[in-house]
């Protein structure tokens, strides 16, 4: 393929965007990046209006003009039919279970705290920080308990579930989360990072 | 089938649980309900430990002991292979796009405000209420814009996307959201409610 057939509205520090870049790298799918700020969102309606319900990155546009938002949905679109989505119906649902867990419990705590801390806004949100830290550690504990007896989140190989949860877990320390007590998570992070064609955030 | 092969950990006011009950009703799948409180969550670890990462309702247990949490994953497990999940790969991803949008943008605003208001806790969360109301209206606007030109959220028939977003949208007024300006949403709510085998929350 000479030209990229996928346009990715992207941001280099967003873990949600990184999930998509990681899967596209694993799959060898070429794409074009268009960077949007995650601080100044004033142009979102102009750029992403009609392309994505929540006007967030990542959003993709295919070469026929069809578009898709939500990192989990984009992962599923490219991942279904590959080794990253199991064929067994129950395991497929388990992959989605962890992806929904990531978006509801893990990301709104760990990614949000990381954003506040790395963008110098921890003071502004000081009243919410303890509760978000506690929620983040609760999510990490749920992962740790599960990974203590497993190599990957679902089945015995890497799936979209691992890609989705790797994204913000591997940079959780940037938000002040201490991963030291989570031996199973740290071992799993190493396994994901050792995957051939892995790319850094 | 004589006995229910599905056990649903459930709560009668939870929209997330209602999504599952609605789909199981559409599909004619019998199930047994076990009610958990959404106010006193002190027994969650005892009851749901090992069954569901986030220890929330809905969680299901199949008759072979396998379990699954996260409403979106449970919907996908029962919905895949039925008329509620399209066969086209892009439309499948669109269904998931709206389901992730619901869990990330819609539910944490509309369901959370409804919970505060209906459980007499609006005063306790008064400092967060305006921001959550604004986020809720933003989610409703995204739905309205999309539904203005469509009968259903994805394709031309009811899918898991509609079931997922119907659950808390149709009771949004319990949280104080005014649906009057949202003509396309109100018309769509009527269409979903008119589906044969529909059940109330």
């Amino acid at each position: 393929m000479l030209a990229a057939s996928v346009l990715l509205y992207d941001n280099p520090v967003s873990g949600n965007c990184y999930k998509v870049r990681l899967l596209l790298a694993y799959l060898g799918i070429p794409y074009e990046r268009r960077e949007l700020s995650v601080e100044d969102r004033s142009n979102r309606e102009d750029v992403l209006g009609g392309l994505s319900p929540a006007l967030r990155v990542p959003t993709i546009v295919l070469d026929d003009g069809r578009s898709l938002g939500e990192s989990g949905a984009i992962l599923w679109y490219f991942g279904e039919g590959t080794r990253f989505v199991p064929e067994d119906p129950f395991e497929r649902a388990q992959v989605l279970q962890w992806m929904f867990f990531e978006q509801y419990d893990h990301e709104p705590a760990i990614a949000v705290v990381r954003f506040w801390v790395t963008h110098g806004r921890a003071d502004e949100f000081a009243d919410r920080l303890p509760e978000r830290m506690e929620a983040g550690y609760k999510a990490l504990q749920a992962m740790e308990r599960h990974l203590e007896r497993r190599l990957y989140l679902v089945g015995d190989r890497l799936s979209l579930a691992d890609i989705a949860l790797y994204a913000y877990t591997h940079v959780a320390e940037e938000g002040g989360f201490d991963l030291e007590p989570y031996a199973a998570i740290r071992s799993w992070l190493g396994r994901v990072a050792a995957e051939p064609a892995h790319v850094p955030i």
Side-chain angles (χ1 to χ4, degrees), chain A:
Chain A
M1 207 179 292
L2 286 174
S5 58
V6 179
L7 169 63
L8 171 65
Y9 287 98
D10 191 30
N11 180 277
V13 300
S14 156
N16 287 319
C17 292
Y18 172 56
K19 294 169 196 172
V20 175
R21 297 197 303 273
L22 190 52
L23 178 63
L24 293 176
Y26 287 161
L27 294 172
I29 295 175
Y31 60 97
E32 186 188 326
R33 291 164 76 159
R34 200 163 296 172
E35 187 174 331
L36 293 185
S37 171
V38 289
E39 297 193 76
D40 174 10
R41 296 176 192 231
S42 59
N43 67 343
R44 289 293 178 92
E45 180 66 47
D46 291 341
V47 180
L48 296 182
L51 301 182
S52 160
L55 310 178
R56 272 199 309 271
V57 290
T59 290
I60 58 153
V61 183
L62 304 179
D63 54 5
D64 61 7
R66 290 182 300 173
S67 64
L68 202 57
E70 300 298 326
S71 59
I74 298 170
L75 290 182
W76 196 265
Y77 178 66
F78 289 110
E80 206 173 26
T82 77
R83 65 192 173 96
F84 300 106
V85 174
E87 288 185 17
D88 175 73
F90 191 78
E91 286 193 349
R92 295 162 72 82
Q94 285 180 309
V95 168
L96 285 172
Q97 170 191 262
W98 286 104
M99 291 169 72
F100 279 108
F101 165 82
E102 195 270 342
Q103 285 288 284
Y104 195 89
D105 291 274
H106 185 282
E107 201 266 17
I110 293 175
V112 165
V113 170
R114 170 178 174 257
F115 182 80
W116 290 342
V117 169
T118 58
H119 287 72
R121 299 177 66 178
D123 287 347
E124 181 184 342
F125 294 99
D127 60 328
R128 299 194 188 178
L129 203 56
E131 179 259 326
R132 291 291 82 198
M133 291 294 290
E134 190 187 330
Y137 279 119
K138 201 172 151 192
L140 291 172
Q141 278 153 23
M143 290 175 67
E144 178 75 10
R145 269 197 306 269
H146 188 75
L147 287 167
E148 271 166 358
R149 292 163 291 126
R150 291 170 183 88
L151 291 176
Y152 295 101
L153 286 164
V154 177
D156 54 7
R157 57 176 157 167
L158 190 135
S159 73
L160 296 187
D162 303 289
I163 294 174
L165 276 155
Y166 178 81
Y168 285 108
T169 305
H170 92 291
V171 291
E173 289 179 340
E174 294 179 11
F177 291 96
D178 179 11
L179 295 183
E180 181 58 31
Y182 301 97
I185 288 179
R186 285 186 288 109
S187 164
W188 165 83
L189 288 174
R191 264 190 303 281
V192 177
E195 186 76 12
H198 185 84
V199 291
I201 193 166

